[in-house]
Coordinates of all heavy atoms in Angstrom, one line a residue:
R540 N -12.3 9.4 4.6 CA -13.7 9.6 4.3 C -14.3 10.8 5.0 O -14.0 10.9 6.3 CB -14.5 8.3 4.8 CG -15.6 7.9 3.8 CD -16.0 6.5 3.9 NE -15.6 5.7 2.8 CZ -16.1 5.9 1.5 NH1 -17.0 6.8 1.3 NH2 -15.6 5.2 0.6
I541 N -14.8 11.8 4.3 CA -15.3 13.0 4.9 C -16.8 13.1 4.5 O -17.2 12.6 3.4 CB -14.5 14.2 4.5 CG1 -14.6 14.5 3.0 CG2 -13.1 14.2 5.0 CD1 -14.1 15.9 2.6
P542 N -17.6 13.9 5.3 CA -19.0 14.1 4.9 C -19.1 14.8 3.5 O -18.3 15.7 3.2 CB -19.6 15.0 6.0 CG -18.6 14.8 7.2 CD -17.2 14.5 6.5
A543 N -20.1 14.4 2.7 CA -20.3 15.0 1.4 C -21.8 15.4 1.3 O -22.5 14.7 0.5 CB -19.8 14.1 0.3
P544 N -22.2 16.5 2.0 CA -23.7 16.8 1.9 C -24.1 17.1 0.6 O -25.3 16.9 0.2 CB -23.8 18.0 2.9 CG -22.4 18.4 3.2 CD -21.4 17.3 2.9
E545 N -23.2 17.5 -0.4 CA -23.6 17.9 -1.7 C -24.1 16.6 -2.5 O -24.8 16.7 -3.5 CB -22.4 18.5 -2.5 CG -21.2 17.6 -2.9 CD -20.2 17.4 -1.7 OE1 -20.5 17.8 -0.6 OE2 -19.2 16.8 -2.0
K546 N -23.7 15.4 -2.0 CA -24.1 14.1 -2.6 C -25.4 13.6 -2.0 O -25.9 12.6 -2.4 CB -23.0 13.1 -2.5 CG -21.8 13.4 -3.4 CD -20.6 12.5 -3.0 CE -20.7 11.1 -3.4 NZ -19.5 10.3 -3.0
G547 N -25.9 14.3 -0.9 CA -27.0 13.8 -0.3 C -26.8 13.7 1.2 O -25.7 13.5 1.6
E548 N -27.9 13.6 1.9 CA -27.8 13.5 3.4 C -27.0 12.2 3.8 O -27.3 11.1 3.3 CB -29.1 13.5 4.0 CG -29.1 14.1 5.5 CD -30.5 13.9 6.2 OE1 -31.4 14.2 5.5 OE2 -30.4 13.4 7.2
G549 N -26.1 12.3 4.7 CA -25.3 11.2 5.3 C -24.3 10.6 4.3 O -23.6 9.6 4.6
K550 N -24.2 11.2 3.1 CA -23.2 10.6 2.1 C -21.8 11.1 2.5 O -21.6 12.2 3.2 CB -23.5 11.2 0.7 CG -24.9 10.7 0.2 CD -24.8 9.2 -0.2 CE -26.1 8.7 -0.8 NZ -26.3 7.3 -0.8
T551 N -20.8 10.3 1.9 CA -19.4 10.6 2.2 C -18.6 10.6 0.9 O -19.1 10.0 0.0 CB -18.8 9.7 3.2 OG1 -18.9 8.4 2.7 CG2 -19.4 9.8 4.6
R552 N -17.4 11.2 1.0 CA -16.5 11.0 -0.2 C -15.1 10.8 0.4 O -14.8 11.1 1.5 CB -16.6 12.1 -1.2 CG -16.0 13.4 -0.7 CD -16.4 14.6 -1.7 NE -16.0 15.9 -1.1 CZ -14.9 16.5 -1.3 NH1 -14.0 15.9 -2.2 NH2 -14.6 17.6 -0.7
V553 N -14.2 10.2 -0.5 CA -12.9 10.0 -0.1 C -12.0 11.1 -0.5 O -12.1 11.6 -1.7 CB -12.4 8.6 -0.7 CG1 -10.9 8.4 -0.6 CG2 -13.2 7.5 -0.1
V554 N -11.1 11.6 0.4 CA -10.1 12.5 0.1 C -8.8 12.1 0.6 O -8.7 11.2 1.4 CB -10.4 14.0 0.6 CG1 -11.7 14.6 0.0 CG2 -10.4 14.0 2.1
G555 N -7.7 12.6 0.1 CA -6.3 12.3 0.5 C -5.9 13.1 1.6 O -6.6 13.7 2.4
D556 N -4.6 12.9 2.0 CA -3.9 13.7 3.0 C -3.5 15.1 2.6 O -2.9 15.9 3.3 CB -2.7 13.0 3.5 CG -3.2 11.7 4.4 OD1 -4.3 11.6 4.8 OD2 -2.2 10.8 4.6
V557 N -3.6 15.3 1.2 CA -3.2 16.6 0.6 C -4.4 17.4 0.2 O -5.4 16.8 -0.3 CB -2.2 16.3 -0.6 CG1 -1.8 17.6 -1.3 CG2 -1.0 15.5 -0.1
D558 N -4.3 18.7 0.4 CA -5.3 19.6 -0.1 C -5.2 19.7 -1.6 O -4.4 20.6 -2.1 CB -5.1 21.0 0.6 CG -6.3 21.9 0.1 OD1 -7.1 21.6 -0.7 OD2 -6.3 23.1 0.6
F559 N -5.7 18.7 -2.3 CA -5.4 18.4 -3.7 C -5.7 19.7 -4.6 O -4.8 20.1 -5.4 CB -6.3 17.3 -4.2 CG -6.1 17.0 -5.7 CD1 -5.1 16.2 -6.1 CD2 -7.0 17.5 -6.6 CE1 -4.9 15.9 -7.4 CE2 -6.8 17.2 -7.9 CZ -5.8 16.4 -8.3
D560 N -6.8 20.3 -4.4 CA -7.2 21.5 -5.4 C -6.2 22.6 -5.3 O -5.8 23.1 -6.3 CB -8.6 22.0 -5.1 CG -9.7 20.9 -5.5 OD1 -9.4 20.2 -6.4 OD2 -10.8 21.0 -4.9
A561 N -5.7 22.9 -4.1 CA -4.7 23.9 -4.0 C -3.3 23.5 -4.3 O -2.6 24.2 -5.1 CB -4.7 24.5 -2.5
A562 N -3.0 22.2 -3.9 CA -1.6 21.7 -4.1 C -1.4 21.5 -5.6 O -0.2 21.6 -6.1 CB -1.4 20.4 -3.4
K563 N -2.4 21.2 -6.4 CA -2.1 20.9 -7.8 C -1.7 22.1 -8.6 O -1.2 22.0 -9.7 CB -3.4 20.2 -8.5 CG -4.5 21.0 -8.9 CD -5.5 20.1 -9.6 CE -6.7 20.8 -10.2 NZ -7.2 22.1 -9.6
E564 N -2.0 23.3 -7.9 CA -1.5 24.5 -8.6 C -0.1 24.8 -8.4 O 0.5 25.7 -9.0 CB -2.4 25.7 -8.1 CG -3.9 25.5 -8.4 CD -4.2 25.3 -9.9 OE1 -3.5 26.0 -10.8 OE2 -5.1 24.5 -10.2
V565 N 0.5 24.1 -7.5 CA 2.0 24.3 -7.1 C 2.8 23.2 -7.6 O 4.0 23.4 -8.1 CB 2.1 24.6 -5.6 CG1 3.5 24.9 -5.3 CG2 1.1 25.6 -5.1
A566 N 2.3 22.0 -7.4 CA 3.1 20.8 -7.7 C 3.4 20.6 -9.2 O 2.7 21.2 -10.0 CB 2.4 19.5 -7.2
G567 N 4.4 19.9 -9.5 CA 4.7 19.6 -10.9 C 3.9 18.4 -11.3 O 3.4 18.3 -12.4
Q568 N 3.9 17.3 -10.4 CA 3.1 16.1 -10.7 C 2.3 15.8 -9.3 O 2.9 16.0 -8.3 CB 3.9 15.0 -11.1 CG 4.8 15.1 -12.3 CD 6.1 15.8 -12.0 OE1 6.5 15.9 -10.8 NE2 6.8 16.3 -13.0
I569 N 1.2 15.3 -9.4 CA 0.4 14.9 -8.2 C -0.5 13.7 -8.4 O -1.0 13.5 -9.5 CB -0.3 16.1 -7.7 CG1 -0.9 15.9 -6.3 CG2 -1.5 16.6 -8.7 CD1 -1.5 17.2 -5.6
T570 N -0.6 12.9 -7.4 CA -1.6 11.8 -7.5 C -2.9 12.1 -7.0 O -3.1 12.7 -6.0 CB -1.1 10.5 -6.7 OG1 -1.0 10.9 -5.3 CG2 0.3 10.0 -7.1
P571 N -4.0 11.8 -7.8 CA -5.3 12.1 -7.3 C -5.7 11.1 -6.3 O -5.2 9.9 -6.3 CB -6.2 12.0 -8.5 CG -5.5 11.2 -9.4 CD -3.9 11.3 -9.1
V572 N -6.7 11.4 -5.4 CA -7.3 10.4 -4.4 C -8.8 10.6 -4.6 O -9.3 11.7 -4.5 CB -6.9 10.7 -3.0 CG1 -7.6 9.7 -2.1 CG2 -5.4 10.6 -2.8
P573 N -9.5 9.5 -5.0 CA -9.1 8.2 -5.2 C -8.5 8.0 -6.6 O -8.6 8.9 -7.4 CB -10.3 7.3 -4.9 CG -11.4 8.3 -5.4 CD -11.0 9.6 -5.0
G574 N -7.9 6.8 -6.8 CA -7.5 6.5 -8.2 C -6.0 6.6 -8.5 O -5.7 6.5 -9.7
S575 N -5.1 6.5 -7.5 CA -3.7 6.5 -7.9 C -3.0 5.5 -7.0 O -2.6 4.4 -7.4 CB -3.1 7.8 -7.8 OG -2.0 7.9 -8.8
V576 N -2.7 5.8 -5.7 CA -2.0 4.9 -4.9 C -2.8 3.7 -4.5 O -2.2 2.6 -4.5 CB -1.5 5.7 -3.6 CG1 -0.8 4.7 -2.6 CG2 -0.6 6.9 -3.9
G577 N -4.1 3.9 -4.3 CA -5.0 2.7 -4.0 C -4.9 1.6 -5.0 O -4.5 0.5 -4.7
P578 N -5.1 1.9 -6.3 CA -5.0 0.9 -7.3 C -3.7 0.2 -7.4 O -3.5 -1.0 -7.7 CB -5.3 1.6 -8.7 CG -6.1 2.8 -8.2 CD -5.7 3.2 -6.9
M579 N -2.6 1.1 -7.1 CA -1.2 0.6 -7.2 C -1.0 -0.5 -6.1 O -0.2 -1.5 -6.2 CB -0.2 1.7 -7.0 CG -0.1 2.6 -8.2 SD 0.4 1.8 -9.7 CE 2.1 1.4 -9.4
T580 N -1.6 -0.2 -4.9 CA -1.5 -1.2 -3.8 C -2.1 -2.6 -4.2 O -1.4 -3.6 -4.0 CB -2.3 -0.6 -2.6 OG1 -1.7 0.6 -2.2 CG2 -2.2 -1.6 -1.4
I581 N -3.2 -2.6 -4.9 CA -3.8 -3.9 -5.2 C -3.0 -4.5 -6.3 O -2.7 -5.8 -6.2 CB -5.3 -3.7 -5.7 CG1 -6.1 -3.1 -4.6 CG2 -5.8 -5.0 -6.2 CD1 -7.6 -3.1 -4.8
A582 N -2.5 -3.7 -7.3 CA -1.7 -4.4 -8.3 C -0.4 -4.9 -7.7 O 0.1 -6.0 -8.0 CB -1.3 -3.3 -9.3
G583 N 0.2 -4.2 -6.7 CA 1.4 -4.7 -6.0 C 1.2 -5.9 -5.3 O 2.0 -6.9 -5.3

Side-chain angles (χ1 to χ4, degrees):
R540 218 158 249 293
I541 61 165
E545 72 281 3
K546 288 167 75 179
E548 207 190 309
K550 296 284 184 200
T551 58
R552 69 189 172 98
V553 170
V554 297
D556 287 344
V557 176
D558 182 358
F559 178 83
D560 288 336
K563 79 176 187 331
E564 299 305 321
V565 184
Q568 302 85 13
I569 189 166
T570 59
V572 176
S575 210
V576 177
M579 290 299 289
T580 297
I581 299 187

